[in-house]
Amino acid sequence: GAVVSQHPSWVICKSGTSVKIECRSLDFQATTMFWYRQFPKQSLMLMATSNEGSKATYEQGVEKDKFLINHASLTLSTLTVTSAHPEDSSFYICSAPGNTGGLGYEQYFGPGTRLTVT
Amino acid sequence: GDSVTQMEGPVTLSEEAFLTINCTYTATGYPSLFWYVQYPGEGLQLLLKATKADDKGSNKGFEATYRKETTSFHLEKGSVQVSDSAVYFCALTYSGGYNKLIFGAGTRLAVHP
C-alpha cells in the first residue's frame, strides 16, 4: 500500500528557534497533503491543506506566519514551526490521499513527528 | 458545522470480550464514514469505511454500519485480542479522500489477557 513518511520522528528545540518537519509520499504522487496537530489524548485537528504549486489553505485559528507550509514537489510537503514556543509542543501528523485503484481515494497517514519546545 | 462524537475511553476489556465503541456524527450533507486505528508508536491506519447509508464496513473482524436514521457508525468486534489494543478514531469526509477528514476525539482500547 501507499506509504507516507515523516522526518524527523521527534525533535527537541529551544524556544525561539524554528523547526522544519518533512512529509513525503514514498511511492505515489500527492498534489494535496494535509497537516494535523494532535494533543495528548486528544483528536487530530486539521491545521492546513498543502497544495503543490500554490499556497496552503489554513484552517480558522491557525497562524499561517507561524506555521509555514511549502509543497515543493509532488512527493514532499514541509511544515516549518517558526519562533517555536513551549505551547507549540505537540504531535504533528501529515496525510496524503492516494488512489486505491478505481475505488476512490484513501488518506494515508505519516507516523507523526513529536515536537518538544523547551 | 460537521462534527463527530465518540464515547470516552479508555475502554478496558478482557481478551475474547465483545467490543462496541459508539460514534455519532453531525453533517450537513451525506458524508463517507471511517474508522481509523492508531497502534502505539505508529501512524493512523484505515480500519474500515462506509460511503452511503446502510453500508457495512468490515475488516479484521471489526464491523460498523452506516446508520443514517440515527446518524451513527458504531464499531463492533465479537472477540477482541490483546493485539487490538490501540486508539480508535471515527471520522467523516465528503466526496472521497481529497477532502479533509473530521475526527472524533478517539477512544483508547486496552485488552488484557
Side-chain angles (χ1 to χ4, degrees):
Chain A
V3 177
V4 174
S5 70
Q6 283 185 240
H7 178 80
S9 55
W10 60 271
V11 57
I12 301 172
C13 71
K14 293 185 177 180
S15 188
T17 61
S18 295
V19 175
K20 180 184 287 187
I21 302 169
E22 294 184 347
C23 177
R24 292 182 185 272
S25 56
L26 297 186
D27 49 1
F28 67 103
Q29 294 181 335
T31 57
T32 300
M33 291 184 176
F34 299 95
W35 285 97
Y36 296 85
R37 184 172 178 177
Q38 185 180 25
F39 292 99
K41 299 184 179 181
Q42 294 188 30
S43 188
L44 283 75
M45 298 301 295
L46 180 67
M47 298 175 65
T49 302
S50 174
N51 304 298
E52 190 269 336
S54 64
K55 293 181 178 180
T57 304
Y58 290 83
E59 295 299 300
Q60 191 172 10
V62 178
E63 300 176 59
K64 60 181 180 181
D65 296 329
K66 172 76 169 176
F67 299 98
L68 299 179
I69 291 173
N70 182 28
H71 201 134
S73 73
L74 289 172
T75 59
L76 173 64
S77 174
T78 59
L79 168 67
T80 301
V81 183
T82 62
S83 186
H85 288 93
E87 58 266 29
D88 299 324
S89 298
S90 192
F91 196 55
Y92 293 88
I93 301 172
C94 70
S95 73
N99 196 320
T100 56
L103 299 179
Y105 290 87
E106 177 182 321
Q107 292 283 350
Y108 295 97
F109 285 82
T113 297
R114 182 161 304 283
L115 170 63
T116 301
V117 184
T118 60
Chain B
D2 300 336
S3 64
V4 177
T5 303
Q6 284 181 240
M7 64 185 289
E8 289 190 21
V11 174
T12 303
L13 296 173
S14 298
E15 207 164 23
E16 299 184 0
F18 185 86
L19 169 71
T20 300
I21 300 178
N22 290 337
C23 171
T24 57
Y25 67 91
T26 302
T28 53
Y30 300 97
S32 295
L33 302 174
F34 304 82
W35 277 100
Y36 283 84
V37 58
Q38 186 177 30
Y39 297 104
E42 298 183 17
L44 272 74
Q45 302 172 27
L46 178 64
L47 181 60
L48 55 84
K49 67 179 180 182
T51 57
K52 62 184 186 297
D54 298 326
D55 270 1
K56 177 186 283 187
S58 62
N59 186 25
K60 299 181 181 180
F62 291 89
E63 292 183 341
T65 300
Y66 190 143
R67 300 287 188 198
K68 183 182 173 184
E69 63 275 14
T70 54
T71 62
S72 64
F73 193 54
H74 304 321
L75 182 68
E76 296 183 338
K77 186 175 186 182
S79 177
V80 294
Q81 305 299 313
V82 173
S83 57
D84 293 326
S85 298
V87 181
Y88 293 82
F89 293 93
C90 186
L92 68 81
T93 192
Y94 292 98
S95 303
Y98 267 98
N99 286 329
K100 62 184 181 182
L101 283 159
I102 298 171
F103 286 91
T107 302
R108 183 174 299 275
L109 170 66
V111 180
H112 298 287

